[in-house]
Structure formats: C-alpha cells, structure tokens
Amino acid sequence: MNEENSSAQNYNHVLEEMRRHSKKHGVEMPTLVCVSKTYDAQAIQPVIDAGARVFGENRVQEAQGKWPELKAATPDIELHLIGPLQSNKTKEAVALFDCIQTVDREKIAKSIAKEMKAQEKSLKLFVQVNTGSESQKAGILPDEALEFVRFCQNDLALEIEGLMCIPPFDENPGPHFALLRKLSREAGVEKLSMGMSADYLTATEFNATHVRVGSGIFGARDYSKA
Ligand SMILES: *Cc1c(COP(=O)(O)O)cnc(C)c1O
C-alpha cells in the first residue's frame, strides 16, 4: 500500500478492490475487519470517520486502552478479538468485544460460556482452525475441528457463527482457505474469517465472509510501541 496515502484513503481503496473482485468472481462481498493493533485512538479515528464500523484487535489489554472511549463515541462499532485469549482475560474480553474469532479449546470455550452468562451478554463466536497444523500456532487442528464445534454447540449451548484461520505465512494460502471452507460446510456454520493484507482478494474468491486487513489500511506496524 502507498505509504503516502492516508488510512482513510487506504480503507476506501481496500473496500473498492473487494467490491471489484467479488463482482468479478461472482461471490458475496465480505465484511472488512480493520485490524488496528499497535495503532492508537488518534490513528483509528480517521478510519471510523471514513465509515468503518468493524475493527479487530489481537490483545485484550491493548484494546482496553483505546476502545471503550472510541465505542462510546460511535456505539455501532463492532469489535472483534482476533488474537489468542487466555482464560484469566475472558471476563474483560467478554465485556469489551462483540465477537471472539479465536475460540480454539475446551477450557476457553467453557470460560466464555460462563462469562457470557454472568454478564448477560451474547458475543458472536468463531472457532479458530490451525489449518497448517503448525506447532507454534493457536487454533484447533483440522481433524478435531468438527468435534470441537459440536462440543461448543451441544455441551455449552454456544452459537458458533463460523471458522477463522491464519495460514502459514510462507505458503500459498489458497489450499488453506479451501480447507476452512470445506470444514465450515461439514460443520454447518456459515461464516469464514480468512485473508489479511497480502491475500484478502484470494480469500474473497474462496467465499470469505470476513477479511482482516491491518497494514493495508493503517500502514506498517511498529511493534516497539505495542
Ligand atoms: C495482525 C493480524 C491481521 C492483519 O494483518 P495484516 O497483514 O497487517 O493485514 C489479521 N489477522 C490476525 C489474526 C492478525 O493478528
């Protein structure tokens, strides 16, 4: 993305590309999740002003530092947790977020179910699948995904909206998107969160319902500030 462009211009550009690409391939236009991790409220506001309403953050504590105020000012914002959740942060996560995309093990599913009940708040939930079976990566293994979705639905009465994946960064993402789509159909869940700045158009072709774009909107991240 052009470094000289403003984040608002980048946001509109990404939306336009998605629109063009979904039309060309005859697929539904996904929801654009603007990933604002490492960026502060001041950097995020222009993208809200440009019309964005769905945002993603990957750390609970970082999100707590900026989103309560931003959400108070623009109440129709939908905030997604897209990073791993520890059970000692579930209470805060359920209070702040509208969607958790990273449900990936029994312990965290149980703790989310318990907190949603305690707070009388219902969040949208996605199960994260480790499509590349990478040992260091979060997510349920593909072989265990269906059983885990059933566990969430039947044992915990959680409504699972869909599946989410982060393909290995050095691999062609297409086969991973195809695998996630196949698993979602087998599990009978509708939503597919896949695709980031480098591959959101590919993900769109594979019927993503949500793409998560960070640097393509906000610019390169400076992790020393995170
Ligand atoms: C950071 C992040 C993104 C966005 O990555 P970009 O390459 O900057 O678009 C998407 N998904 C997850 C889970 C992330 O942590």
Side-chain angles (χ1 to χ4, degrees):
M1 205 74 25
N2 189 342
E3 291 278 328
E4 287 164 21
N5 278 355
S6 72
S7 54
Q9 282 173 315
N10 291 338
Y11 166 73
N12 281 310
H13 173 78
V14 169
L15 267 189
E16 193 44 49
E17 291 275 282
M18 285 166 60
R19 218 171 266 130
R20 222 168 33 84
H21 209 72
S22 42
K23 199 167 167 199
K24 180 174 158 196
H25 291 273
V27 294
E28 291 276 321
M29 168 90 172
T31 296
L32 173 55
V33 182
C34 303
V35 178
S36 48
K37 65 188 185 206
T38 78
Y39 284 91
D40 63 13
Q42 212 181 334
I44 296 168
Q45 191 61 50
V47 180
I48 298 174
D49 294 340
R53 289 296 179 269
V54 186
F55 288 84
E57 287 282 345
N58 71 340
R59 294 167 69 203
V60 177
Q61 206 164 351
E62 184 192 336
Q64 279 179 310
K66 49 189 162 176
W67 282 102
E69 270 188 64
L70 289 169
K71 285 183 90 176
T74 311
D76 59 338
I77 281 174
E78 189 179 290
L79 191 60
H80 290 228
L81 179 64
I82 60 170
L85 179 60
Q86 260 101 52
S87 43
N88 62 357
K89 287 271 169 36
T90 310
K91 188 174 177 178
E92 287 89 344
V94 167
L96 179 61
F97 287 89
D98 304 290
C99 173
I100 296 174
Q101 293 202 5
T102 50
V103 184
D104 68 349
R105 56 196 191 281
E106 287 195 6
K107 188 178 175 198
I108 209 71
K110 281 181 186 162
S111 129
I112 290 169
K114 185 170 149 245
E115 267 310 320
M116 291 202 322
K117 207 170 210 175
Q119 299 184 28
E120 294 181 5
K121 189 179 171 196
S122 159
L123 276 71
K124 295 180 180 174
L125 302 173
F126 286 63
V127 165
Q128 181 177 356
V129 183
N130 183 358
T131 56
S133 301
E134 296 171 277
S135 57
Q136 81 287 6
K137 196 166 269 176
I140 190 101
L141 291 171
D143 282 353
E144 299 166 6
L146 293 187
E147 200 184 331
F148 181 62
V149 170
R150 295 289 169 255
F151 168 80
C152 293
Q153 294 169 325
N154 300 336
D155 294 46
L156 303 177
L158 291 175
E159 198 175 317
I160 302 296
E161 299 244 323
L163 306 180
M164 176 271 212
C165 76
I166 310 169
F169 83 102
D170 55 352
E171 282 182 33
N172 173 9
H176 295 275
F177 298 157
L179 172 60
L180 199 71
R181 182 174 63 186
K182 175 174 164 276
L183 290 171
S184 77
R185 286 174 180 167
E186 287 169 6
V189 296
E190 253 180 59
K191 305 281 162 69
L192 283 170
S193 172
M194 52 192 201
M196 322 201 325
S197 293
D199 51 23
Y200 67 95
L201 293 179
T202 306
T204 301
E205 283 172 48
F206 282 92
N207 306 97
T209 63
H210 294 72
V211 295
R212 310 177 307 264
V213 178
S215 49
I217 294 172
F218 292 99
R221 282 180 292 273
D222 178 357
Y223 279 99
S224 65
K225 288 194 293 186

